[in-house]
Amino acid sequence: MPAISQKGQNMPSSPIRKLVPFAEKAYKANKTVFHLNIGQPDIKSPQLAMDAVANHNLEILAYTRSEGSEPYRAKIADYYKRNHIMVEADNIIVTTGGSEALLFAMGSVADTGDEIIIPEPFYANYNGFATASGVNIVPVISKIEDNFALPPIQEFEKLITPKTKAILICNPGNPTGYLYSKEEIKILAEIVKKHDLFLIADEVYREFTYDNLKHYSILEEEGLDQNAIIIDSVSKRYSMCGARIGCIVSKNKEVMSAAMKFAQARLSPPTFAQIASEAALNTPQSYFDEVIVEYKERRDTLIEKLEEIPGVQVGHPKGAFYCIAQLPIKNSDAFAQWLLEEFDVDGETIMVAPAAGFYSSPGVGLNQIRIAYVLNKESLIKAVNILKKALEVYKD
Ligand SMILES: Cc1ncc(COP(=O)(O)O)c(C=O)c1O
């Protein structure tokens, strides 16, 4: 039989999706499963985005330009200016989700065997994009005890080698919910300028900040134009994960022309989804105000209930809609599987994401899970109650 590539064998399977067969078993056993494992929001997509697709007047569903449709890119630039990010359409390439923007970014800044430093825990699919791009991720540990704040500058500097090409952050963070302060962004800016590195910021959760804290983008930071690359997406912003639209943003012309070659190779981002995403940019601020109130209430409920469980330690999210919880168990992989296969409270159980897959350091995060608070408050309260009862009886 022909052999699979080493790269294919090395591709990590998603820690979030690998429990799906066990969830299917739970459904077959007629259990209700509360999904705390995946960041699919239950918030409605803006009606005007749906209407724009329903009322289209296209006669041919043609390709758009590789960099995305012109009117859409112009409107994205306006959106950024409203958010104090002074970019023009030329600084933007529309991609098939933030996922493709990450691939373009890694492909544009790093060669096979090069290194990108990422504070961990990090969005698990960075492992997959790095493997696909031949890039080695070098983790710098951020700790639950520090609420996952930026690790000290010396920790980064210890890891920088001639192969280091970039530092990648997720702000606000998935899976930690951590929001980097302006001061922390300034520290990162100093490091990348000193060592001539790129700073890639995955800002797909930009709008989701709580407690009146404001997001500070790397492209708001002066003097960083040649180093900064933003990864963005409509998936979470407008609850439009299925649109598959994102973008890569940089003022560095060489980065953009390299990214453009990747964009040309895959011809164009999806046409209907750009129509929906362009219309979504007219979403009134009131939509976000309501969504943020909803997520903040969910966060408060979730954290309060989790902290009532003996032995549970929780990172306090300031943004996005995830948190990491440390549990009084040894192995959250086995625990998550047991929850689906063997446990229920009156026919109900929960699905969680074991956190080890969000770390690349071996053996770290084994007793942690990531919880996405994308369920309504009543369901969240039920779900945490199930977790509490499960921990009372679980033995590992
Ligand atoms: C931090 C982060 N970056 C990027 C993505 C990719 O999003 P998409 O490809 O749907 O735009 C996600 C999706 O969950 C994410 O959480």
Side-chain angles (χ1 to χ4, degrees), residues 96-99 102 123 126 170 174 202 204-205 233 235-236 241 244-245 322:
T96 307
S99 303
L102 281 156
Y123 174 49
Y126 293 163
C170 183
N174 171 10
D202 181 339
V204 306
Y205 296 98
S233 168
S235 290
K236 315 291 157 139
C241 296
R244 310 308 307 129
I245 290 288
Y322 307 95

Side-chain angles (χ1 to χ4, degrees), residues 75-195:
K75 277 205 192 162
I76 305 177
D78 292 342
Y79 155 83
Y80 281 124
K81 288 190 186 110
R82 292 198 297 278
N83 284 279
H84 318 288
I85 297 169
M86 296 302 153
V87 292
E88 304 301 332
D90 285 353
N91 307 124
I92 299 165
I93 295 175
V94 179
T95 53
T96 307
S99 303
E100 193 181 59
L102 281 156
L103 275 171
F104 287 3
M106 288 193 186
S108 301
V109 307
D111 285 311
T112 306
D114 282 343
E115 295 168 355
I116 298 187
I117 300 177
I118 313 183
E120 67 175 0
F122 53 74
Y123 174 49
N125 282 334
Y126 293 163
N127 279 321
F129 301 134
T131 304
S133 309
V135 167
N136 294 330
I137 291 181
V138 177
V140 50
I141 293 193
S142 68
K143 299 199 187 105
I144 196 165
E145 301 82 78
D146 305 329
N147 210 14
F148 301 108
L150 188 75
I153 189 163
Q154 305 87 296
E155 299 301 313
F156 283 89
E157 293 204 305
K158 270 194 243 165
L159 300 172
I160 294 174
T161 73
K163 286 195 172 294
T164 309
K165 290 291 145 68
I167 295 174
L168 166 59
I169 58 164
C170 183
N171 187 31
N174 171 10
T176 61
Y178 189 75
L179 179 72
Y180 289 106
S181 67
K182 191 172 179 172
E183 289 65 37
E184 287 171 311
I185 297 294
K186 285 187 181 298
I187 292 173
L188 285 166
E190 282 317 308
I191 309 178
V192 294
K193 281 192 283 187
K194 180 171 163 200
H195 297 276

